[in-house]
């Protein structure tokens, strides 16, 4: 195939910014605990994958005998009430709602070293060590303290003596009906997705050790009443859309805690009488044993939690450029047998989501401009840094809901779960405000796939049979691509979510995996060349390729895969090569090939790894490579607008102020199609 002539017009608005968001610790990855607990000594997030409190509690002994509280503490009154020391502000909570836990801070038994544990289900018989979260009173106060003293009950501190005096005053004045008036609160601002019916908190008095065994001993002080999780097992979560190789189709993906038969109700806003067909839904899941290595394949607090049941329904025969209302749901019986019975919807229990709207793909040969939002390296709420993930999500939602953007492409390193399964649910909940409206097409990054062992024996979902991936590393925390491959499916050609392609209006999009072999003669290389060779540029004149790692870094480093990939990009006249990985925005010159500019047929290469992960302090904008035309250390996203067959517009939008920081126009000669 002949490379097509390409004309470009660049407009660089600025090359540096006084409004840069500067964060220092470039490579810091701290996977948050379920409630994003901070250490009161440092004020930093505690790592769920290396939380010493979790380990201490697994080796501790637990008791519900409250007499222990007074037998070892001569200064405490055995009549001291312990009921209702802790409480919550509501007895039913939805995913995403705020929940407040409070406790009597004046109670003489409570100290900063005492422990709160969180359990699902909320049964008194469940193991005390089977907690989903654990943190101390001191951590719950969320104060940047200089430190707190670990004291034993036999030696009352001044604070405890003050509380005792207050307690005696209250008891004498109220005839033993004590009401503690000073309360501390711990706020869970966004209650996480937990696929249970009920949960509760337990408060433990922590003693120094048990006899001569030198391990901690804890006595139960109080527990909250059960907290009902509204529709906890049946509420659809993580709802998102994706495309297939057929532009008249749309996939709808969602998750529930209960196994059932998934379905989607759809109605066209323009033609509500028109029937929309859908395939029988499919359901899958995965377990810790499906992962390649630790910590992803380990169970326990901070590590693996069940993802629930992952459902997919494909809508067929959709009209182009059309908005549909839809809702997802499942049918189920109490014995869960309805999952295998498509007619069960009319005889069994049904649970629906809210009603959303989606907009279908642009028509082939469309003359109406449309836009896509593109970024990489995002992260989820509380993932150990104060990043830009929420800003990016908010701006992306505005682009989709208010400005009508038609698709979102995420260029790898999505959630940074690093083997902690609850982070995936946090990230999926975060993106749902835009993911319910437009397709979200994912690229596999090193934090989804890279592993150093365990991939053999059929565990690697990409089909690689060696123990390690192409890049031997542990970025994925042992996930080796399993969660992303189950949650995202690609378009249906190629190799699942790892490499695939599809048409979207005037665009042909090719997604490849930088985490797999791309050398000439490799399986992925041959697939990529075959796909590029089959593109009809009269139908899809614009051709973009997306992957995670760039071919060239601002430092000048060139990836070993670059020569072979660059050859294909030039041979088939690719217009844009879009990547993430480097947490900067970098745009190359036009015709970028072999570290030089103005090579006919070669693309403009753009790095937009600015979706929210802590910004790079290395490989940054201080380098002065001749091919770098724009560089920004700023959170932001790319906006690609397809105007027509001859004009394409790229913008980089900063999410600090919402302003366009860099832009470039690409033009084609229509007579060359």
């Amino acid at each position: 195939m002949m490379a097509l002539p390409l004309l470009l017009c660049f407009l660089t608005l600025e090359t540096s910014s006084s409004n840069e968001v500067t964060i220092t610790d470039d490579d810091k990855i701290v996977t948050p605990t379920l409630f994003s607990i901070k250490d009161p000594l440092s004020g930093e997030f505690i790592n769920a994958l290396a939380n010493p409190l979790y380990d201490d509690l697994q080796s501790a002994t637990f008791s519900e005998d409250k007499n222990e509280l007074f037998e070892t503490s001569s200064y405490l009154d055995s009549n001291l009430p312990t009921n209702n020391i802790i409480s919550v502000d509501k007895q039913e909570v939805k995913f995403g709602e705020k929940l407040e836990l409070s406790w009597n801070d004046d109670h003489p038994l409570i100290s900063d070293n005492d422990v709160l544990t969180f359990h699902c289900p909320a049964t008194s018989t469940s193991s005390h060590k089977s907690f989903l979260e654990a943190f101390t009173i001191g951590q719950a106060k969320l104060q940047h303290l200089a430190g707190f003293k670990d004291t034993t009950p036999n030696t009352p501190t001044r604070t405890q003596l003050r509380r005792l005096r207050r307690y005696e005053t209250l008891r004498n004045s109220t005839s033993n009906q004590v009401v503690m008036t000073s309360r501390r609160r711990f706020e869970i601002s966004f209650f996480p997705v937990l696929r249970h019916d009920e949960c509760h908190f337990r408060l433990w008095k922590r003693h120094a050790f048990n006899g001569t065994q030198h391990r901690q001993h804890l006595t139960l002080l109080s527990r909250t009443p059960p907290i009902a999780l509204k529709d906890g097992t049946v509420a659809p979560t993580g709802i998102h859309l994706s495309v297939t190789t057929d532009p008249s189709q749309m996939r709808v993906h969602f998750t529930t805690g209960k196994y059932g038969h998934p379905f989607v109700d759809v109605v066209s806003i323009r033609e509500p009488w028109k029937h929309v067909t859908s395939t029988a839904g499919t359901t899958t899941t995965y377990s810790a044993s499906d992962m390649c290595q630790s910590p992803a394949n380990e169970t326990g607090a901070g590590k693996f939690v069940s993802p629930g049941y992952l459902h997919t329904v494909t809508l067929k025969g959709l009209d182009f450029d059309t908005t549909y209302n839809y809702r997802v749901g499942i049918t189920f019986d109490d014995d869960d047998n309805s999952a295998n019975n498509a007619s069960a919807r009319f005889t069994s229990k049904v649970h629906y989501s809210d009603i959303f709207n989606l907009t279908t793909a642009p028509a082939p040969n469309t003359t109406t401009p449309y836009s896509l939002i593109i970024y990489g390296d995002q992260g989820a709420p509380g993932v150990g840094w104060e990043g830009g993930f929420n800003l990016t999500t908010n701006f992306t939602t505005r682009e989709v809901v208010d400005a009508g953007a038609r698709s979102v492409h995420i260029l790898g390193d999505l959630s940074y779960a690093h083997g902690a399964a609850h982070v995936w649910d946090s990230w999926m909940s975060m993106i749902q405000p835009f993911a319910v409206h437009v397709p979200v097409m994912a690229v596999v990054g090193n934090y989804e796939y890279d592993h150093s062992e365990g991939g053999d024996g059929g565990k690697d979902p990409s089909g690689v049979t060696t123990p390690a991936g192409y890049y031997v590393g542990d970025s994925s925390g042992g996930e080796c691509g399993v969660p992303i491959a189950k949650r995202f499916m690609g378009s249906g050609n190629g190799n699942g979510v790892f490499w695939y392609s599809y048409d979207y209006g005037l665009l042909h999009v090719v997604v490849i995996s930088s985490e797999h072999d791309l050398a000439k003669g490799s399986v992925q290389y041959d697939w990529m060349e075959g796909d590029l060779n089959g593109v009809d540029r009269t139908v899809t004149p614009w051709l973009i390729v997306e992957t995670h790692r760039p071919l060239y870094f601002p430092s000048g480093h060139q990836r070993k895969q670059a020569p072979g990939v660059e050859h294909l990009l030039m041979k088939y006249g690719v217009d844009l090569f879009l990547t993430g990985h480097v947490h900067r925005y970098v745009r190359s010159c036009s015709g970028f090939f072999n570290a030089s500019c103005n090579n006919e047929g070669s693309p403009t290469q753009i790095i937009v790894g600015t979706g929210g992960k802590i910004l790079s302090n290395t490989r940054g904008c201080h380098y002065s490579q001749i091919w770098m035309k724009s560089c920004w250390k700023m959170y932001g996203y790319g906006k690609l607008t397809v105007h027509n067959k001859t004009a394409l517009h790229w913008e980089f939008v900063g999410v600090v102020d919402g302003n366009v920081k860099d832009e470039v126009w690409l033009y084609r000669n229509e007579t060359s199609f």
Side-chain angles (χ1 to χ4, degrees):
M1 175 179 287
M2 294 290 294
L4 301 179
L6 178 65
L7 303 173
L8 298 96
C9 174
F10 295 103
L11 175 60
T12 302
L13 302 180
E14 301 174 66
T15 57
S16 61
S17 170
S18 59
N19 295 322
E20 285 186 356
V21 178
T22 303
I23 299 177
T24 54
D25 197 355
D26 180 26
D27 295 319
K28 180 179 179 181
I29 296 293
V30 177
T31 304
T33 68
L34 184 66
F35 296 149
S36 298
I37 303 299
K38 289 186 176 182
D39 182 352
L41 292 173
S42 65
E44 297 180 350
F45 287 102
I46 294 173
N47 192 339
L49 301 172
N51 187 348
L53 179 59
Y54 293 169
D55 295 335
D56 289 346
L57 295 180
Q58 291 305 315
S59 62
T61 58
F62 293 83
S63 171
E64 295 190 34
D65 183 5
K66 289 186 170 58
N67 290 325
E68 294 179 348
L69 300 172
F70 310 104
E71 290 172 354
T72 59
S73 305
S74 58
Y75 66 92
L76 291 177
D77 188 335
S78 61
N79 293 319
L80 189 68
T82 59
N83 293 331
N84 302 319
I85 296 178
I86 57 173
S87 62
V88 289
D89 65 338
K90 58 185 70 170
Q91 295 306 307
E92 183 179 73
V93 64
K94 289 182 179 180
F95 300 150
E97 284 187 341
K98 184 176 75 171
L99 180 72
E100 279 191 356
L101 170 71
S102 62
W103 63 92
N104 292 325
D105 199 43
D106 275 340
H107 199 289
L109 283 172
I110 293 180
S111 66
D112 283 347
N113 245 7
D114 293 334
V115 176
L116 289 154
T117 56
F118 181 71
H119 300 259
C120 304
T123 59
S124 59
T125 58
S126 62
S127 170
H128 297 312
K129 295 183 180 181
S130 297
F131 51 84
L132 297 181
E133 178 65 290
F135 49 98
T136 67
I137 290 290
Q139 291 168 348
K141 289 179 179 179
L142 295 177
Q143 295 176 345
H144 299 284
L145 305 176
F148 55 85
K149 189 175 181 180
D150 185 6
T151 60
T152 66
N154 286 319
T155 309
T157 64
R158 290 182 179 179
T159 299
Q160 288 172 322
L161 290 172
R162 175 182 57 80
R163 291 173 178 171
L164 281 167
R165 286 193 295 271
R166 176 176 174 79
Y167 162 71
E168 290 296 334
T169 301
L170 287 169
R171 186 173 64 172
N172 291 336
S173 63
T174 58
S175 301
N176 287 333
Q177 299 298 313
V178 180
V179 178
M180 299 296 182
T181 58
S182 176
R183 296 191 69 81
R184 289 278 192 173
R185 288 177 172 80
F186 172 72
E187 180 182 296
I188 302 168
S189 58
F190 189 97
F191 194 84
V193 174
L194 297 170
R195 298 176 180 90
H196 295 274
D197 293 318
E198 291 182 331
C199 303
H200 70 189
F201 288 91
R202 302 173 189 174
L203 174 61
W204 301 90
K205 185 67 193 174
R206 184 157 66 163
H207 311 284
F209 57 87
N210 182 17
T212 60
Q213 299 179 27
H214 295 283
R215 57 178 177 172
Q216 296 188 37
H217 181 68
L218 297 96
T219 304
L220 183 67
L221 272 174
S222 182
R223 59 163 58 93
T224 64
I227 306 161
L229 276 56
K230 184 171 176 56
D231 301 322
T233 60
V234 295
T237 61
I239 305 171
H240 62 288
L241 309 174
S242 68
V243 303
T244 74
T245 54
D246 183 344
S248 70
Q249 297 182 356
M250 186 83 78
R251 289 199 196 102
V252 185
H253 311 269
F254 62 99
T255 304
T256 60
K258 193 175 185 68
Y259 191 45
H261 176 71
F263 64 88
V264 179
D265 289 335
V266 189
V267 61
S268 169
I269 294 177
R270 186 170 58 195
E271 299 175 306
W273 60 87
K274 187 172 182 179
H275 179 66
V276 176
T277 61
S278 63
T279 62
T282 62
T283 299
T284 187
T285 189
Y286 58 90
S287 64
S289 62
D290 293 323
M291 313 292 191
C292 290
Q293 65 189 100
S294 64
N297 62 4
E298 297 177 343
T299 58
K303 297 176 182 176
F304 181 80
V305 293
S306 172
Y309 295 99
L310 310 171
H311 310 291
T312 300
V313 177
T314 302
L315 309 179
K316 295 183 174 182
L318 302 173
D319 295 326
F320 295 113
D321 289 306
T322 301
T323 300
Y324 292 84
N325 285 337
Y326 76 97
R327 63 181 180 181
V328 306
I330 60 167
T331 59
F332 58 93
D333 287 328
D334 289 336
D335 59 5
D336 289 338
N337 289 330
S338 64
N340 300 312
N341 181 5
S343 64
R345 181 174 176 184
F346 305 103
T347 60
S348 306
K349 298 177 182 179
V350 182
H351 189 85
Y352 298 98
S353 71
D354 293 335
I355 296 175
F356 307 104
N357 62 71
L358 63 84
T359 302
T360 56
N365 298 314
T366 182
T367 58
T368 303
Y370 61 93
S371 298
L372 319 175
I373 304 302
I374 303 171
Y375 61 84
D377 304 80
Q378 186 169 27
V383 187
W385 59 77
E386 305 296 339
F389 39 81
N390 279 325
L391 286 173
T392 303
T393 298
N394 292 341
F395 271 87
T396 300
T397 302
R398 292 180 198 173
E399 291 280 10
V400 169
V401 175
D402 299 333
R406 302 292 288 276
S407 183
V408 177
H409 300 186
I410 305 180
L411 305 175
D413 288 3
L414 281 62
S415 71
Y416 288 88
H418 202 62
H422 65 272
V423 178
W424 274 106
D425 283 320
S426 177
W427 183 79
M428 296 299 301
S429 297
M430 182 181 71
I431 70 166
Q432 183 168 299
F434 62 79
V436 295
H437 299 296
V438 298
V440 176
M441 305 307 292
V443 175
V444 171
N446 54 299
Y447 274 92
E448 284 77 50
Y449 180 74
D450 287 9
H451 56 285
S452 58
E453 60 184 53
D456 48 350
K459 283 195 172 183
D460 187 327
S462 68
V464 173
T465 58
T466 56
Y470 182 78
Y471 289 99
V472 179
D474 297 325
S475 297
S476 77
E479 290 182 356
C480 63
V482 172
I484 191 173
K486 292 289 188 177
R487 296 171 186 271
F488 295 88
M489 302 174 67
S491 64
N493 63 10
N495 183 11
V497 73
F498 299 97
W499 52 87
Y500 59 94
S501 68
Y502 59 95
D503 294 340
Y504 201 73
L506 300 175
L507 280 175
H508 183 73
V509 181
V510 181
V511 173
I512 56 176
S513 172
S514 61
E515 309 313 299
H516 291 75
D517 191 1
L518 267 168
K520 188 173 182 178
S522 66
V523 173
Q524 185 178 196
Y525 182 96
D526 291 344
W527 175 88
M528 180 182 176
E529 179 161 31
D531 186 85
L532 293 173
N533 187 54
V535 177
D536 185 348
R537 301 298 281 267
T538 65
V539 178
T540 52
W542 296 107
L543 178 54
I544 65 175
V545 175
E546 299 175 343
T547 192
H548 180 59
R549 298 179 193 244
L551 298 180
Y552 294 86
F553 292 85
S555 62
H557 172 71
Q558 176 181 331
R559 279 180 54 215
K560 61 182 179 180
Q561 297 175 330
V565 175
E566 280 192 309
H567 170 74
L568 293 182
L569 301 180
M570 174 183 277
K571 179 179 179 180
Y572 294 103
V574 172
D575 300 300
L576 282 174
F577 184 73
L578 304 174
T579 68
H581 193 62
V582 176
H583 306 136
R584 284 283 195 278
Y585 171 77
V586 181
R587 175 173 58 79
S588 80
C589 55
S590 62
F592 184 39
F593 180 84
N594 195 26
S596 64
C597 302
N598 303 316
N599 296 282
E600 185 176 346
S602 289
T604 298
Q605 299 190 24
I606 296 176
I607 302 170
V608 60
T610 51
K613 201 272 184 184
I614 190 170
L615 296 169
S616 297
N617 284 315
T618 60
R619 302 174 299 216
C621 296
H622 61 282
Y623 294 107
S624 57
Q625 307 298 333
I626 60 172
W627 52 266
M628 288 171 57
K629 296 303 179 184
S630 181
C631 186
W632 284 82
K633 179 185 176 182
M634 174 177 285
Y635 295 120
Y637 59 90
K639 184 175 183 178
L640 181 65
T641 302
V642 182
H643 282 267
N644 49 48
K645 288 186 174 182
T646 61
L648 194 71
H649 187 208
W650 169 271
E651 301 167 282
F652 174 64
V653 181
V655 297
V656 175
D657 54 18
N659 292 331
V660 176
K661 304 301 178 182
D662 178 57
E663 63 177 306
V664 58
W665 283 88
L666 286 74
Y667 297 103
R668 280 195 170 276
N669 186 342
E670 191 168 8
T671 61
S672 64
F673 298 145

